[in-house]
Every structure is written in C-alpha cells, then in structure tokens.
Amino acid sequence: MKQMLTLRTILTVISLSVLSITVGGVLLVSFFNTRATVQQMALELMEQQSEAVQDKISTYLGPGVQLIEFLNRAVLNTSDDLKNWQQTGSELVPLAELFPQFSWIYYADHATGDLIGVNRTEGENVLHRSFFDESGRRIVDEHVLEGRTWVPFVRSDTSVSSEGYDPRERPWYQAAVASQEPVWTRPYLFFQQVTQGITVAWAHRNTQGELLGVYAIDVMLEDLKEFLGEIQAGENSVAMIFYGDGEVMVEPRENRMAKNARSMLQKARAPMARNPESLLSGGGITTEFYLHNTWYFARVSKLGGAGVPEGYLAVVVPAFDIIEIARDNALISTVVAIVLVGISIFISIRFARIISAPLSQVSVDMARIAKYDISIEPYASSYIYEMAVVTGALEKMKASLRAFGRYVPSDLVKTALESGQEAEVGGKTQELSVMFADLAGFTSISENLSPDEVFSELSSCLQVLTSVPEKHGGAMLTFLGDGVLAVFNAPAQLPHHPEIACRAALEITECLDQLNQSRASEKKPAFKVRIGINSGEVLVGNVGIKKRFSYTVLGDAVNLASRLEGLNKIYGTQILAGEQCYRKTQRMYEWRCVDLISVVGREQSEQIYEPLGPTGRVAAELLQARDTYHQAWQLYLHREFLQAARMFDLAQQQRPADLAAGVMQLRCTRLDAEPPDDSWDGSYLAMSK
C-alpha cells in the first residue's frame, strides 16, 4: 500500500517552515489603510445582510397576492361559493394552514355585505361567516373543522363582537375598490380591536368591470414584527419597514437599541434626499453615521414588487458588531512581516501544488454533480490520507446518484440537486398531460416463462414505454406492474405538452411494431399496448410521510387518463385521449371521436378520441373509415339507431380491424330494440377500468 501523509502533518510542516523563515522580519502596516479596507468590507457585508433580510420579507409577504389570485381562480369565483360555505371553508382551511403568516383569508360580497373567511383564533383556524338576515341584523356563524365535519366554534373571549360591522365600510375594502390591481393598506386598527395590521385586497369584478366583491388577506403587525425580529442581521441590530413619507410600518423588536430606533431611522433616511435615484431603480443606499457617540452602519433598500407592499427597509447595525473581530485580526496582521519572501514562496508553491491539484479536480467534479452531470472518470491517486478518503467517498456518492437516477425521474434529481434544499411533502396545482401505458395480455405471455424470462420479456417492452416519453421531455414517474405512468410538463416545464404527449403515444406504438417484427422472427408473441392520455389541472408534488414519499400526480384528470387506458379493451383501440387533450391538438393530428362516456366517480360525461396520426400523414382509406364512423356517430346521437348501425357496419367494412365500429353497431341494434328514455344523452356508462 502506498505510504500517505495526513493533511494535518503536511500543514504542520508548512506552518513551521514559513514561521521559521518569516520570524525575523517585522513590517508595520498602516493602521488607517487597514481600517479603511475593513470598513469597506463591512459596508459590503452590510449590503449582503440587508438583501438577505429583504429576500426573506418578500418570501414572507409575497405569497399574499398569489394566494388572492388563487382564491379568484379556484375557490371563491361565484356567488354560489358563498352559499356553499362548507365546501368553500374546506378549501380555505388548508390555505390558512399552508400560510400561517396570514391571520385572515377572506372574501366580502359587494351586493350583500356577506363575508366568509378563515382566521387564526385561539390556536385554531376558524371559519367565519357573517351576513345580514331579513331584518337587517348581522348574523355571525363560526365553525372549526374536526375531521370532515364542521362544528360550531365557541370563543372563550366573548367580548369580541362583530355587531355593526360592514366590510364595505372598512379601509381595505375601499382601497381595493379604488384600484384595478391588488393593493396593500397602510397599518390600521382591526374592527373593535386594539390590534393593528395591514391588508392586501383585490376587487373582484366581472368581465364588464362591475364590482362583485373583494378578496383580502390580513397580516398582523405583531406577527410581522416578530418575524422581522427573527431575521435581523445581528443581536444588536435594528430592522424597520417604513413608507416614503417616514411613517413606520413595522417597529423593531425589543432590544437595547430599540429605544433609539426613530432617531436611527432619521439618520438612515437622510441620504435618500440626496440620492433618490438609487432607490427608485431597485438598488439601495449603504451609509454610516454617529448617534450618541456610537458608530453605526445602515442600509436602506426599496421594497415592492412581487406582491410586497410599497415601502422601504432599513437595517441598522452597530459598527462594533461587524468590524470588531476583523479589526482585531487586522491589527495583529500589521505586526507580521515576511522575510526571505523567495524561500517562503518556493515552499508554499511546492506544498500548495500537492494539496490543490486533487482539490481542484474534486471542486470541478462537485460543480458538475450539482448540475447532475456525473462523470465516470476516476480520481487521480493522492498521497494525502484525508484527500484519498474524500475522493473515495465521492466515487461512491457518484455511483449512488447514478443508481438513484434509475429509480426516480432524472429531471427530479437534477431539480433537487440544483435547489440545494431538502425535499418536503407538498405539491401545487399545475396543468399537465398524463399518460398511462399498459401491456395488453402480458399475463398470458408470461404463463409458460421462468421468472428470469418474464423479467427479460417485460424489460424489453418497458424500455420502449419509458425511453420514448423521456426522449420527448416527459418524466416516467412509476412502473405499474407491466405498465408505466408518465407525465409531461413536470417536474421540468414543457410547453405544448398535450401535443408532445400524443406524439410520444404514437411513437410508442410504432416502436412496438418494430419490436414485434423482430419478435416474430424469433417466434415470440407480439406485444400490444393500451395507452390513455389526458390533459388538465392536477395536484403534482411529493406525497407520503415525512420520512418517505414519492413524486406523483393526483386529481380527476389523472383518474380519467387511467380509465381511458382501460377503455381501450372495450373499443379495441391502442390509444384513447380525453376531450381537453383533443381540443389542444386537433390541428396537429387526425382524430376520431370514439364515444361519449360516463365513468364511475365523475358526474360529467366526456367524449373520448383516438389519434390516427399526424395531420397530412394518415392514409386516405383510414380517413374515409373515420368519416363514415363520424356519420354513424351523428345518427347515433340523433337516435336514428337503425341507420347508425348500418353506417357503423360500413365503417367496419372499410376498416376490418376496427372493433369500436362493431361495438357501436351492437349498441345501436340493442337501442333500436329497446329505445332509451328522454334523459338519454348518448353517453355510455363505463363501470370498470
């Protein structure tokens, strides 16, 4: 085994050598030059700390406007949502739990003055309803959610009352009505309380611009003050939010400097009058001043944008806190001299090369790993024991990451590495295209095979089902026995995802046809795939428990895609797509409307479609059979079942392998013998997948 030295031994040799050579020389460094350098470094550090505090404030308050837009789009969009308070409340409570920084999330109706919202009261998220009865008296109804049941909420503090409250007379409501965009109020007293807060509100208008109501979210200044205290730059720092006219929005937390906060703010604001352009352009002003014989650094930066209230952030830190240690170190450094510089440089270069060469290779590799670009080149050998341990561990880590990428979508691994944050349970609503692909009849194929042969056969087909969606930018989320679940537009953004999902589905059938040709020469049974595609808004994210979860998709659009995959068995098709996917791709592909179905668990019927191929590349005979099928379908919807049966029979003659035409012909024959009642809309109830 090669003899290796520890890093500690090498650094000790270097330190003793350099100290032995340099101990004879002393050179005084100008204290004032060092002080100026340290001061400049302190001002730059102050700027970085202020930007960090500003980013955290944006993260804290920024979601308010996004949440209001979500309420408008998905929770409180119509007057019926006010009446159906139980359902609306069930959707508001999770939002209150997801954003605990907001004390109130609510909506006020303009016509009636009715209000519904969730607020944090006595440690619980309480659904609050208030409305006027026929006599004009305001009725207040409060409930909490226990499991899936709403139960009345009894306040321990009975002094809190909503008597005489009309949301349309409150400052937040009037500010929202006067603006076309979401607005933040200045601090004001909440109704019949001593608590102050700020509110972001947005007027809800119809397409004609008529006012329907106002969405609003409250933030208590006490909560914001506590949050601001937790993220201040130092133990003795002061952080304040104020408006352009000098009015303070949020006071600093209580510490020994808070009593002079107003005076500090005046000093920090003074440069604003001399250089307002730096703030208007989104920058900031870093300054220093003396107050009561104490030296301070201050940073004033402009808030606003991305949903944050218009205002300014001032962070003030005693200079002692920032530069004391650096100044002491600088004073010590001034008494250190370098003698025989040439010998010192020679020794430093020799040993630095020994240490830095493998470290440089490791740093380059780590940067590539952060982008999920994992190299396979081995590291050069090192005489340093610790360096050998590091490179060995990195080799194992790269091998583990390569293996991990085979279990989860590579885009998900890349996103996790680039973010540098630990994954958590949670998700978001996003429009995706979902694909379920399953092998038809694989059980019968595998009956006479050994376990090793089963996995070999299955892998050859699953290779097609996974590689094709990934080639087009999709993500294969999971294997479902002899099938797969793939999504498009998550985790990586993929514009035109419905078109790409259809293209991938058609390419899968083409690749399987090529695979089946080679299997036929080996006298092996052919693979047949059933594919269901659907587009729509789904919940995508990490599902499971804190210790273990998986990245998946949930929602009605996902369930329908799964049902469509199973319905291929009924119609003898290979690919079926939902109506939304068809509407977004009907110009790119030739489609056939197969049927109108109602599936278990969904109240609304949906037309299902079969993609025949890209527009302009489908055989004329297939299009003619499609058009005949369409004529039969129209006769079917108009209850002309006998004529429809004949046309479906003609469509099957034009396309003999078309099982769907035969299914529809039998259905028409049956309906002609036993006509349906007047409620029949042409839909077929699919009882199973």
Side-chain angles (χ1 to χ4, degrees):
M1 181 177 178
K2 184 169 54 178
Q3 183 67 33
M4 292 185 292
L5 301 175
T6 65
L7 183 60
R8 181 177 180 179
T9 302
I10 295 175
L11 292 177
T12 301
V13 172
I14 295 175
S15 300
L16 291 175
S17 300
V18 173
L19 286 175
S20 299
I21 296 172
T22 59
V23 97
V26 175
L27 180 65
L28 291 176
V29 179
S30 172
F31 172 77
F32 294 102
N33 289 339
T34 303
R35 180 179 182 276
T37 302
V38 172
Q39 180 177 344
Q40 180 63 32
M41 294 173 59
L43 291 173
E44 293 176 357
L45 177 61
M46 186 67 198
E47 180 177 349
Q48 296 174 3
Q49 291 177 333
S50 177
E51 290 175 354
V53 173
Q54 186 176 3
D55 290 342
K56 291 180 179 180
I57 292 174
S58 297
T59 303
Y60 187 82
L61 295 176
V65 172
Q66 299 176 5
L67 182 54
I68 281 182
E69 293 174 346
F70 177 77
L71 293 177
N72 176 42
R73 184 176 67 253
V75 180
L76 283 158
N77 188 262
T78 67
S79 58
D80 290 335
D81 294 327
L82 280 172
K83 299 175 183 178
N84 189 9
W85 63 271
Q86 291 181 328
Q87 174 64 30
T88 301
S90 299
E91 297 174 358
L92 288 176
V93 167
L95 296 177
E97 294 173 349
L98 187 61
F99 301 99
Q101 67 267 40
F102 302 137
S103 59
W104 265 95
I105 302 173
Y106 53 100
Y107 174 78
D109 185 71
H110 179 69
T112 62
D114 294 351
L115 182 142
I116 185 170
V118 172
N119 76 307
R120 190 170 60 252
T121 303
E122 300 177 5
E124 292 191 79
N125 289 313
V126 179
L127 176 63
H128 179 99
R129 297 173 56 229
S130 63
F131 53 91
F132 292 96
D133 62 6
E134 296 179 356
S135 64
R137 183 170 58 92
R138 177 167 286 278
I139 304 298
V140 177
D141 191 16
E142 293 183 318
H143 289 77
V144 292
L145 193 60
E146 292 186 1
R148 296 185 177 182
T149 305
W150 291 100
V151 297
F153 174 71
V154 180
R155 291 178 176 269
S156 59
D157 183 7
T158 57
S159 63
V160 178
S161 171
S162 297
E163 183 177 353
Y165 178 79
D166 189 337
R168 295 167 294 187
E169 300 174 358
R170 300 300 294 160
W172 55 268
Y173 191 97
Q174 297 171 358
V177 171
S179 174
Q180 296 296 322
E181 301 292 335
V183 294
W184 284 92
T185 67
R186 289 206 174 191
Y188 69 97
L189 282 176
F190 290 168
F191 186 76
Q192 292 189 356
Q193 297 183 36
V194 296
T195 304
Q196 277 195 324
I198 57 176
T199 298
V200 56
W202 190 18
H204 177 36
R205 294 180 168 88
N206 60 19
T207 55
Q208 288 76 34
E210 299 171 342
L211 180 64
L212 302 179
V214 172
Y215 303 98
I217 296 175
D218 290 344
V219 179
M220 297 180 65
L221 288 187
E222 206 51 47
D223 292 345
L224 188 54
K225 178 179 178 180
E226 181 179 352
F227 171 77
L228 197 61
E230 293 174 354
I231 62 174
Q232 289 177 185
E235 180 64 24
N236 298 314
S237 66
V238 167
M240 293 169 284
I241 301 176
F242 64 97
Y243 297 102
D245 57 8
E247 179 184 354
V248 177
M249 180 196 303
V250 184
E251 299 277 4
R253 67 176 180 179
E254 294 297 330
N255 60 21
R256 66 184 183 88
M257 294 174 56
K259 61 182 180 180
N260 296 323
R262 296 282 179 161
S263 300
M264 293 177 183
L265 180 59
Q266 292 180 0
K267 293 280 189 179
R269 289 182 60 232
M272 290 175 58
R274 299 191 297 269
N275 188 18
E277 293 81 7
S278 62
L279 292 177
L280 293 176
S281 61
I285 296 176
T286 304
T287 186
E288 55 183 301
F289 60 87
Y290 282 89
L291 182 65
H292 304 314
N293 298 321
T294 302
W295 185 22
Y296 295 93
F297 290 118
R299 173 74 177 178
V300 177
S301 53
K302 193 176 187 303
L303 298 175
V308 179
E310 293 288 337
Y312 300 88
L313 169 68
V315 179
V316 182
V317 181
F320 179 86
D321 285 1
I322 297 181
I323 69 171
E324 183 64 15
I325 297 177
R327 187 174 62 184
D328 291 344
N329 291 336
L331 289 174
I332 295 174
S333 299
T334 58
V335 298
V336 177
I338 299 177
V339 180
L340 303 174
V341 175
I343 299 176
S344 300
I345 292 176
F346 174 78
I347 295 176
S348 299
I349 290 175
R350 290 289 298 176
F351 281 95
R353 182 174 300 172
I354 295 175
I355 298 174
S356 63
L359 283 176
S360 298
Q361 185 181 4
V362 168
S363 63
V364 170
D365 219 356
M366 290 297 291
R368 294 177 62 183
I369 291 173
K371 300 177 180 179
Y372 197 53
D373 179 13
I374 303 175
S375 66
I376 59 175
E377 297 84 9
Y379 293 106
S381 59
S382 174
Y383 290 96
I384 303 173
Y385 173 77
E386 288 84 356
M387 198 67 244
V389 172
V390 170
T391 54
L394 277 175
E395 286 288 359
K396 294 180 180 179
M397 183 184 74
K398 292 194 295 183
S400 299
L401 283 173
R402 285 192 292 266
F404 186 59
R406 296 185 175 95
Y407 286 94
V408 298
S410 57
D411 286 337
L412 189 60
V413 180
K414 183 177 181 181
T415 301
L417 288 173
E418 289 178 346
S419 68
Q421 298 179 354
E422 185 174 353
E424 297 179 350
V425 174
K428 62 179 180 179
T429 301
Q430 184 174 339
E431 182 174 315
L432 307 178
S433 291
V434 183
M435 174 193 291
F436 282 88
D438 186 73
L439 289 179
F442 183 77
T443 302
S444 60
I445 295 176
S446 61
E447 286 178 349
N448 300 319
L449 301 177
S450 67
D452 290 340
E453 291 173 328
V454 170
F455 280 100
S456 177
E457 292 283 300
L458 183 59
S459 297
S460 65
C461 184
L462 291 180
Q463 174 66 26
V464 175
L465 299 187
T466 57
S467 62
V468 172
E470 289 179 345
K471 181 182 76 172
H472 291 284
M476 202 289 293
L477 295 192
T478 185
F479 290 102
L480 305 170
D482 56 355
V484 299
L485 165 60
V487 297
F488 300 81
N489 202 35
Q493 297 295 312
L494 194 62
H496 313 297
H497 52 89
E499 175 189 354
I500 296 174
C502 295
R503 186 190 311 160
L506 290 168
E507 186 171 334
I508 286 174
T509 61
E510 294 173 0
C511 292
L512 283 182
D513 289 340
Q514 297 173 6
L515 179 61
N516 287 333
Q517 291 177 9
S518 63
R519 290 176 61 84
S521 63
E522 300 172 2
K523 297 183 179 180
K524 292 182 178 180
F527 286 130
K528 184 178 180 182
V529 69
R530 294 192 296 262
I531 301 175
I533 312 171
N534 193 35
S535 302
E537 290 217 340
V538 303
L539 182 63
V540 56
N542 297 321
V543 175
I545 60 176
K546 186 175 182 180
K547 292 184 178 179
R548 186 173 182 179
F549 46 78
S550 63
Y551 186 83
T552 188
V553 289
L554 301 170
D556 182 67
V558 180
N559 297 334
L560 183 57
S562 177
R563 294 294 181 90
L564 292 174
E565 178 270 319
L567 287 173
N568 283 289
K569 291 185 289 187
I570 297 177
Y571 300 101
T573 52
Q574 286 188 287
I575 307 172
L576 285 177
E579 188 169 351
Q580 187 170 353
C581 182
Y582 156 75
R583 293 187 181 279
K584 293 188 177 183
T585 60
Q586 56 183 320
R587 294 184 179 179
M588 299 84 169
Y589 296 92
E590 295 289 351
W591 292 88
R592 177 178 67 160
C593 177
V594 176
D595 202 354
L596 177 66
I597 64 165
S598 297
V599 298
V600 177
R602 298 181 87 244
E603 296 180 0
Q604 186 176 1
S605 301
E606 175 132 348
Q607 286 188 317
I608 59 176
Y609 297 82
E610 177 191 18
L612 303 178
T615 301
R617 294 172 54 188
V618 180
E621 296 81 4
L622 185 56
L623 294 178
Q624 181 181 4
R626 186 272 310 270
D627 294 339
T628 304
Y629 188 102
H630 179 73
Q631 295 174 26
W633 171 253
Q634 295 298 322
L635 293 170
Y636 166 78
L637 292 179
H638 288 84
R639 297 173 175 259
E640 297 177 13
F641 300 119
L642 190 57
Q643 297 182 40
R646 294 172 183 156
M647 291 297 292
F648 280 124
D649 180 64
L650 177 59
Q652 191 170 29
Q653 293 177 25
Q654 295 171 342
R655 187 182 177 188
D658 184 16
L659 179 61
V663 170
M664 296 302 297
Q665 179 190 10
L666 291 176
R667 189 190 303 175
C668 289
T669 303
R670 187 174 61 254
L671 290 174
D672 182 68
E674 298 178 10
D677 57 25
D678 294 337
S679 63
W680 181 82
D681 63 351
S683 62
Y684 166 72
L685 178 60
M687 298 299 295
S688 62
K689 292 178 60 177

